[in-house]
Amino acid sequence: MTTTHSEEALKALMLLSLDGDEAAYRRLLTALRVLLVGYYSRRMAAATRADMEDLVQETLLALHSRRSTYDRNRSFTAWFFSIARYKLIDHHRGRGGRRLAETELDDQIESDFSEDRLTARMDVERLLDGLPLRQQELIRQVKLEGSSVADAANRTGQSESAVKVSIHRALKVIGERLRGTS
């Protein structure tokens, strides 16, 4: 079964779950877990797997406890990711405020996101899914965030040529997926 992470699919699952469909709720939670791992991994580079898992669980529990407050006429992903942002801020506050200012600035920038931008971000995450984690991170750093190859090489401890080769190979795999040849 392929899980779709579009606004429409997630909102449909949420609405079904609000109407009592337990299977839809389980599918929603599974899809949201995948999105949260990607969302938090980009914002918590130094976090341990246990910290990440705790934060994902806290966010899903918050969704569960607040789902009755969801307005069926509004964007589901905007509502859900606002919960995720608050949980991330709480996490940083609980750890002495490291990266808190940066997270809050990200929240201000992201608070005016559009559904199209979010859907595009989710599409990119689906394309990166399945690539080795190192390649995913290099694509994010160089192609999505605009870091130089030299900066990415310094951060990862690889040579510049190794970074270039890794990115090239990852883009080739993504291209094959888009063409349906892989």
Side-chain angles (χ1 to χ4, degrees), residues 13-145:
L13 288 172
M14 179 63 170
L15 295 177
L16 287 170
S17 73
L18 288 173
D19 293 336
D21 186 332
E22 290 181 33
Y25 189 52
R26 283 191 301 277
R27 288 193 313 269
L28 176 66
L29 293 176
T30 299
L32 294 176
R33 171 177 290 286
V34 171
L35 291 175
L36 284 171
V37 168
Y39 178 81
Y40 289 139
S41 67
R42 288 187 303 278
R43 289 160 176 79
M44 300 173 56
T48 66
R49 182 175 286 284
D51 282 345
M52 181 87 63
E53 186 60 31
D54 287 348
L55 193 53
V56 167
Q57 287 300 318
E58 287 176 28
T59 305
L60 293 176
L61 285 170
L63 164 78
H64 180 75
S65 67
R66 292 183 180 100
R67 66 186 179 149
S68 64
T69 68
Y70 173 64
D71 179 349
R72 294 170 176 259
N73 297 315
R74 310 253 347 210
S75 165
F76 171 73
T77 51
W79 178 79
F80 176 72
F81 280 107
S82 69
I83 292 172
R85 278 191 299 275
Y86 287 121
K87 285 295 173 186
L88 182 60
I89 290 169
D90 287 346
H91 172 81
H92 287 308
R93 282 187 183 132
R95 305 266 182 302
R98 291 187 314 259
R99 288 186 32 117
L100 179 59
E102 183 180 330
T103 301
E104 288 174 338
L105 180 59
D106 285 347
D107 291 344
Q108 290 172 2
I109 292 168
E110 290 183 24
S111 66
D112 65 339
F113 73 89
S114 69
E115 286 181 36
D116 290 341
R117 198 170 349 153
L118 180 62
T119 301
R121 183 179 297 159
M122 290 187 296
D123 289 343
V124 167
E125 289 303 317
R126 273 198 305 273
L127 286 172
L128 293 177
D129 215 20
L131 290 175
L133 292 176
R134 183 168 280 193
Q135 284 182 332
Q136 289 180 31
E137 191 53 37
L138 290 173
I139 292 288
R140 283 187 187 100
Q141 288 179 22
V142 175
K143 298 299 183 181
L144 301 176
E145 297 168 6

Side-chain angles (χ1 to χ4, degrees), residues 151-167:
D151 287 342
N154 285 335
R155 275 190 231 128
T156 61
Q158 298 180 45
S159 69
E160 289 184 35
S161 62
V163 168
K164 288 178 187 177
V165 168
S166 186
I167 290 171

